[in-house]
Structure formats: structure tokens, C-alpha cells
Amino acid sequence: MPKVENGAAPVGLQFGKEMGTLALPGEEIGKLVDTTPPHGLQSPQDQKRAVVRLGSGVTQRGSSLLSSKAGKVCFDGRRNKTWVENNQKRYVPALEDMVIGVVEERHSEDVRLDINGTDTATLSSLAFEGATKKNRPHLDIGSLIYCRITRASKNMEAEASCIEPGSNKSWVGGEALYGELKGGNVIQVSLGLARSLLVPNGPVLTTLGAKIPFQSAVGVNGRVWIQSSSTEHTVLLSIAIAKADTMPADEWKAFVKKMLEQAT
Amino acid sequence: MPPATKRSRSRGGGAGGLEYISLDGLRIDGRRPTEVRKIRCSLGALSRADGSAYYEQGNTRVLVAVYGPREPHSRASIQHDRAVVKCEFSTAMFASPVYRRTWKGDRKSTAAALVMQKAFEGVILTASYPKSQIDIYVQVLQNDGGALVAAINAASLALVNAGVAMSDFVVACSVGFVDDTFVVDPSSLESASDRPELTLAVLSHSAKIASCQLDSKLPDGESFERALEFATSGANQIFKVLEYEVRKYSLNLLDSRGLVAL
Amino acid sequence: MDQEVFQKVHPREYLARFLNKDVRPDGRSLTKARRVNITVSSIATAVGSAMLKMGKTTAVAGVHATLVQPAPGAPDQGILDVAVELLPMASPNYKSGRSSEEAICLTEYLRSLISPHINMSKLCVEAGLLVWQLRLTVYCVDNDGNLEDAILLAGVAAMRNVLLPSVRIIGEEVDEGRDAQMVEVKTENEEGEGEAESIIAVATVERTNSLEIDTYPLPISFILFDGKVLIDPSVAEESVCDSRITFLFRPTGELRGVLKPGGKNVPENLYQSCLTMAKERIPKLQAKLEAT
């Protein structure tokens, strides 16, 4: 039986449901299969490859994998990971997620961020590239921070960091990927919309960006930060993106067209 | 209908009484004994709740909202290793022809809330959300029999809408007994205080029973197993409808997310 | 934790940013009210009902009728009870349990504005013996702001929707038919001794008697923020406003009342803008109500 851990075409996993179809809670989406060869010896590499990762919305019962939510069955071959993609309003932190947090509390060594989940996340004021005890960012209550979840456990408060592995861009210059988002505007959207905004060259941001140049940061926790050269544009873009959550595609397209015509 | 004190109609079949099952085998509203009433429902009816559903089964209408997992209201109720599930069952002042106070604490409502709490505690993966609370709020707007059944089904939809992880999908159905016949999903006319009524909540995929209540003794010669069979068949009918609704809702969502080119 | 945390921490700044560009966070202009949808008669167990949506704010109102003995001091007057309930499902901030202050205030608000328009003598079946007792309950199931207007309109719509059966008192019991239903009202024996007597009445199954409400209040509310007026506030806008002002009109378009519960002073010119906007909106609102 291959080991299964949360947080590696599927190895050790046989899908009962076709990829991309909808599953309901309790529906079996696949079975774990034993990949140990007949002679019983498996190389460490094969063992590692046979690890099946279970993401959000998938639960295990014996050798069956069941969906725990209503959504689309997904699979990532690179990481041998399966999950069920659904839409909801509340965020549950997962490792490596990029989120936008709002500083709720300040302490001497760290801050508490609201990340739109049941619990808050802690961000150390030293978790910034190039930060030292004497030279670290001052984070006010209400500041917006774009950061990465570095510890996500259901039993403990999540931890976040603004250090990007492999990068040495100091927090000071404002060139680093993560850090405080100054100016601009932030809105709250559904998790599903946030995820779709992260798809490269996605229709929503491309349609808007074609007419108005702007910067944006999208947190998988349902927060979107927008900044453009004029406040008017920032405000209109905020409204347009928020509407994408409730309007059907055709209606949204028409709404944006009208809005853009009236703006510039 | 002015409700003050109603004269009771004579009950049961036979001469001079109300006929619940016609000679053709049809019930008063035209249904067959094994037929469930028409169901209409929609997910995401409310804007502030994390999950919600509006649900109609015949003339019984309920609205259910789910909040959570969120911070528990009181420190005392925090469980360190799982989520606490709380349920409130409330009936509108005008929901039944018989005047009833809307005070949520009334016995029947408290009992219903407890049944629901236990049923859903069994399917929600509470271990995934330690130290949090999940609230299920039920408001019965119109009660024509089977309010608890409607509430359970609506709550399943609302929990799915909220994205609360569950091990299965709960579906409920009730069975009554009129004119020596088991009838599935009895309306208020077919339910009476002295009639037996079985309310069943099952897990749709594993077929396990989440909750089962029998009010009143079954008449001699009638088996509990048979009543259960009827209830299960009713629940299967209902599940087909709910499953269709959930799929339709999820597909609509995926379409409008911009995941198909605008 | 409520969704809009950023708003929670810098709520005024958040709103000001939008208003400075003459637009609101939900995309509306400052002078645009949300769409109102009213559905009546949707609840068959009530003698009158209305479901109202004002944007996402949703209220469900229903009227329940009972036959009772009249109060000793008012033998030919019916009885009207009014209640507003803010259900926990309506907002993450509402807790269950006893009525909150807000619910109690809204109840009194609704009662004081609706009662004067109900002719209580119309509810009399037989003076001294039998009258109707109506209970109007408005449930707020989704709070996205401007509850005062939503519950008042829902209450008015439900009362206008009320249809009562015809009732007559009869001497003795008769068989119930398809068209009639027997009603027995136990009377209270004043001395409290002996068997309680009953009044037996028969009520038609068909309900055709309306309350004939000829006039009712139509509300339009505004909030003031940083010297700007916003019509029909959302819940986020309400939470940071400087003051609130409600205009009450008759269906004919006449102004019959103005409510401004505390808050910052309103300069004359802003008051006039509100009044002008309100007068413009009233015919549309009235048409919506009359269409039910």
C-alpha cells in the first residue's frame, strides 16, 4: 500500500471518476492501489513516487478516496496530488498559499493577520528578506500584507512569511514579491474567483488591463489588491472585479464595456 | 383559517370519515403512496451567511443558513480537537394554521434542533476544524408536514454551499400510515398527533442511518422494517433531486468564474 | 470574523475613497437606490404575506389571524400585534437568544407606523363577543443594510395582502361543509367558576375580506457621510455614516413625516437634496407596492 500524505500520470491511485467531473460529499473518486512489484522490493525512488497527495476536499477511508465537498475532481501529475475544487467564502490555510492578510494586532516581534479564515495567522517582523532587528518593516494595524503561508496546521495558528525563497530582493526597496501593499484598494471576493484570477492571461484581468493599466495582487484567500495611476480607475477596477463574482459572463462583459466607455 | 379551537374532523377511513386513499390508490393530493412531493430548492439564497439554501417540499418551505467554521461564541464550548456543531430550529409565527408562539425554545423545536445537530455532527469532518464552531440556523416559513425532513435536506445543501467538509451527504424522508397504508412524505393533513410517523435521515452513499425517529407505535401487524423500506425509497427519490441541484449549481459557478473564455 | 476586515479597520477611509469618485463600493451612484422586489401571498398558511428584497436585504412578513374575545374596554375593536425578528442567519453579528435592542426598536418603529392605518373596527365580527386578532411578524433573514425601510415596506405589503374569511356566529353546531369551517372560541367566565362557555362561529373557507387600507407610509432613507448624501444605504455604509434621515410619504406623494434619530446635524442644502431625491423615488416605490 503506497503511503498517503497530505500537503507526489497518477501513481498508486486509480480514479473511479473521470477527471474534471463533479463529485458530491461521500462519493468515491478513486482507490489507492498497491504499486509494490510482485517480488516485494521497491526502490526508494519508486516508493517516493508512489506517494499520493490528498488536497482539499478529499478524504480517505481505507483504500477509498472520497470527496468531502461538492466540486470538480482535479489531479496534478507533477505532484501526484488530487483534490476537489469547489467554491466557498471561507478560507482554510494551506502550505505555500499566497495570501493577502490585514494586520489586526501588533506585538513587539510579530503581527497577527486576518486572512479570512476561522483563525488568524502570525507574521514575524523578521520574516522579510534582509530584515534585521535594527532594520525591519513597521507594520501598522490595517496594513495589507502579501505573504506566503509557511505553516498551516488545523491545530495551530497559521504562520506566514514575506521571504521569497531563492530571491535576495530586500524588503526595503519595494521590489520584493511579498511585503506591504501600499496605496491602492483591496476587495473581498469568493475563493473561486480569486483562483480563477490567478490563471495566467485569465479573461477577467486581461479584459480590464487592455484598457486601463494597473497592478494587482491576488490572494487565494479571496482578497484582491488593485492599484492604478488614478484613484478613479482603481475604484472602477475594484467594482468590476467584485462584480465578476455575481454576474454571469455575458452580463459582466457588457457591464465592463459600459464602465470603460464612461471612464476614460 | 381562523384557528382558535378547531372541531376535529373524524379520522380514519370508513363510513362518514375522510378518505385518505381513494379507490384508485391515490392520496388526497393525487400522489401515490410511495411518491414524494415536488421539491424546489436553491443554493446560496442569502448574502451574509457562509452557506445557505431555500427549500420547498410540497407546501412546506424552509430557509437554512450555515455560518462557520468560525470562532466559537463562548470560550466554554471550545473543543480543542474538533469543531462544535450547533443547530437552531425556529418556526415562523405564521407557518402553520394553528397558532404557535415563535419562541425557539419550545419543546418540538428543541428536539428537532438536537436531532439535526446529532445527525450532522456525524457527517461533518469536525476534526478538520478544531477549536471552531459551525452554526446551522433553520427557519420554517410554512409547515405542511415534514418540516424536519425539509430542514435536514436544506441543511445538507447549505453545508455544501458553505464548503464544509463532510464524509457523506445526508438526506431525510418521513413515512406515515393512513387507511392501513404506508405513505411516503405525509402532508400535514396525513399526519396527526396519534398517527405513527417515521422520520429517517440517511447517508446517501454509504446507506448508513444518521438518525431515525418513530413517533407513536406502529399498528399491530406492521413491521418497522417495512416502514424503513418506504422511508429509504423516499430518501433515494429525494437524493436524486438534490444531487441534480448541486451539480447544476456547481456547473453554473464554474462557468461564470471566467474559466471559460468570456 | 466578518468578511470586510479591511473595512472594519479603516472603514471611513475605504468608503471615502469610492465616494470621492462619485461611486459606491457596490458600483451604485450616490443617488441610486437598490432594486426592490415584492412577492405577496407566497405563504399559504398566513392570511397575508409578503417577501421583500431590497438589493440583498431580505425580509419575510406574514400575518396570522385568530378569533378571540375583544378586550373589555374596546368591545368592537380588533387587536393587532406587531413584531420584528432579526434572525441569526441574517448577519454574522446577530446572536440568538432574547431580542436584541435593535429588534425591539424596529418592532416599535413598525408598530407605530402601521397601527394608525388599520381600522380596528373592521376587525370586529360581533361587538362584545368576537373580534379578529392579527399578528404581523416581520423576519429579517438577510441584512445588507436599510432594514428600517425593508421591514416597513414588507409589513405594509403583508397587511395590504390580508384577506379574511367571513364569519358569523351561530347558535348551535352544524356540519362542516366544503365552504365553511367551524370555530369554537372559549370565553372567559368572569367569575372564573363553572364551565367556560364557548362561542361557536362558522367561517368561510374562501377569504375575500381585505382590511381596506387606504393609506400607508412609504419610507425613503438616506445616510450622510462627509457632507455627501447616499440613498438606500448598504450595511457597510450604515456602519460609518454620520447621520441617517428617513422621509415618510403618503401614497399620494405628500410628505407626512421626517425621522432623524440623533447623529450629526444636517445642513439645509443637504436636507433639500434628500427631499428632492426622495420625491423622485416615491412614485416608483408606490407603483411596486400597488402592483401587489
Side-chain angles (χ1 to χ4, degrees), chain C residues 14-28:
Chain C
Y14 185 83
L15 184 57
R17 204 174 277 170
F18 285 88
L19 297 183
N20 287 337
K21 301 298 161 197
D22 285 326
V23 74
R24 296 152 84 163
D26 62 4
R28 286 188 282 160

Side-chain angles (χ1 to χ4, degrees), chain B residues 1-9 45-50 54 59 61 63-65 67 70-71 73 88 90-100 102-104 137-139 141-144, chain C residues 2 42-46 53 56 60-67 85 87-93 95-97 132 135 137 139 141-144 165 173 176 181-186 203 205 235:
Chain B
M1 267 351 142
T5 326
K6 270 210 258 194
R7 280 202 133 236
S8 52
R9 296 181 206 244
L46 304 176
S47 71
R48 305 293 302 275
D50 291 319
Y54 172 72
N59 286 325
R61 300 168 183 206
L63 192 53
V64 174
Y67 278 92
R70 58 177 174 176
E71 268 193 54
H73 291 168
E88 270 189 36
S90 174
T91 303
M93 173 83 62
F94 41 76
S96 339
V98 176
Y99 165 63
R100 189 181 308 161
T102 193
W103 176 40
K104 277 160 275 191
Y137 296 114
V138 177
Q139 181 73 3
L141 296 172
Q142 193 172 318
N143 188 354
D144 188 20
Chain C
D2 198 16
S42 35
I43 298 177
T45 46
K53 276 182 94 100
K56 294 184 222 154
V60 179
V63 182
H64 194 269
T66 327
L67 283 169
E85 275 198 41
L87 297 179
M89 59 170 65
S91 160
N93 304 322
K95 302 284 190 273
S96 47
W132 284 109
R135 285 181 152 86
T137 315
Y139 295 95
V141 297
D142 204 353
N143 180 6
D144 192 19
E173 304 179 2
E176 287 186 332
Q181 191 194 326
M182 200 89 80
V183 180
E184 205 173 317
V185 180
K186 292 212 161 32
V205 166
V235 73

Side-chain angles (χ1 to χ4, degrees), chain C residues 2-80:
Chain C
D2 198 16
Q3 278 189 359
E4 287 88 334
V5 169
F6 182 69
Q7 278 173 263
K8 217 173 185 183
V9 181
H10 290 307
R12 292 188 63 94
E13 197 185 287
Y14 185 83
L15 184 57
R17 204 174 277 170
F18 285 88
L19 297 183
N20 287 337
K21 301 298 161 197
D22 285 326
V23 74
R24 296 152 84 163
D26 62 4
R28 286 188 282 160
S29 75
L30 279 65
T31 53
K32 190 150 167 54
R34 290 170 294 185
R35 184 178 308 187
V36 171
N37 270 327
I38 312 179
T39 320
V40 294
S41 303
S42 35
I43 298 177
T45 46
V47 295
S49 62
M51 225 184 291
L52 182 139
K53 276 182 94 100
M54 192 175 260
K56 294 184 222 154
T57 296
T58 311
V60 179
V63 182
H64 194 269
T66 327
L67 283 169
V68 296
Q69 279 186 287
D76 61 345
Q77 305 278 299
I79 304 172
L80 174 66

Side-chain angles (χ1 to χ4, degrees), chain C residues 93-108:
Chain C
N93 304 322
Y94 291 161
K95 302 284 190 273
S96 47
R98 298 178 57 100
S99 282
S100 62
E101 251 182 48
E102 196 183 346
I104 294 174
C105 288
L106 285 169
T107 297
E108 183 49 33

Side-chain angles (χ1 to χ4, degrees), chain A residues 207-208 240 251-261:
Chain A
T207 310
L208 295 172
E251 217 183 296
W252 187 83
K253 210 173 170 186
F255 172 82
V256 167
K257 192 158 171 236
K258 193 167 122 191
M259 188 189 78
L260 292 177
E261 274 162 18

